[in-house]
Amino acid sequence: MLQGIEIIFEDRDKMMAHLKKKTYKEYTENFIQNHGHYFEEMTTYVEGAKDKEAAAKEIGECLASAVKKTFVNKKGKIGARTQSDLNFFMIYYVFPTILSSGSEYAKTIADGVCEVWKSSFANSDIGYTDYDSLYDSFREKIFGIF
């Protein structure tokens, strides 16, 4: 399941640098166009599962495993700066994409992924919101900073 999902993070530096309202919209559209199939796979998997919550946590485990495989350094850890960037990327791109699926189980998926993420990585007690809420929070720049 979710083979190769770590690729969704490959442009994270570009997508997080100097984040503004216009670029956030553009980056989100490109993100969904390039990686939307992973989120469709998540939705299909949960919709077909008997235990929706357990299936959502399995998705979170797959995602966390892919991140660990990709970002763990030689010391067996993910650097603090990298982890912070990954957390923000999850908040700005991954969770809004999950929530925009239109599935009645989108929140279940987001809850499962968020729970696993928090328990899998240090300093990763993150939350999530939908794209429209994030987009509306921009002025020219996110929350008037950056």
Side-chain angles (χ1 to χ4, degrees):
M1 176 174 36
L2 302 175
Q3 295 298 317
I5 194 165
E6 61 274 1
I7 197 169
I8 69 173
F9 297 99
E10 72 180 357
D11 290 332
R12 82 179 190 290
D13 291 338
K14 174 186 170 194
M15 293 170 69
M16 296 302 296
H18 309 292
L19 197 57
K20 297 179 181 178
K21 191 169 194 165
K22 181 179 176 183
T23 56
Y24 180 60
K25 180 178 182 178
E26 176 186 326
Y27 291 157
T28 299
E29 289 170 356
N30 289 336
F31 181 76
I32 292 169
Q33 181 179 3
N34 294 330
H35 306 296
H37 62 283
Y38 290 114
F39 299 93
E40 290 170 13
E41 184 179 347
M42 292 176 191
T43 301
T44 301
Y45 184 72
V46 171
E47 288 176 347
K50 279 189 172 189
D51 186 340
K52 311 296 187 202
E53 289 80 16
K57 288 179 185 177
E58 285 180 53
I59 290 168
E61 293 292 342
C62 287
L63 184 59
S65 175
V67 166
K68 288 175 184 176
K69 181 179 85 177
T70 304
F71 295 102
V72 167
N73 62 26
K74 293 178 183 178
K75 295 179 182 178
K77 297 183 178 188
I78 296 176
R81 169 74 189 256
T82 299
Q83 187 61 60
S84 179
D85 288 348
L86 291 168
N87 291 345
F88 279 115
F89 192 85
M90 292 290 292
I91 293 165
Y92 289 125
Y93 296 101
V94 175
F95 288 117
T97 302
I98 291 170
L99 294 172
S100 71
S101 71
S103 170
E104 67 180 288
Y105 300 108
K107 187 172 178 343
T108 301
I109 297 168
D111 287 342
V113 170
C114 192
E115 182 180 330
V116 171
W117 190 267
K118 288 177 187 180
S119 66
S120 296
F121 303 105
N123 301 314
S124 296
D125 188 10
I126 62 174
Y128 63 84
T129 191
D130 61 88
Y131 171 82
D132 290 331
S133 296
L134 280 171
Y135 185 78
D136 290 344
S137 69
F138 281 92
R139 293 185 188 211
E140 173 57 25
K141 300 176 182 176
I142 186 74
F143 304 121
I145 57 176
F146 294 125

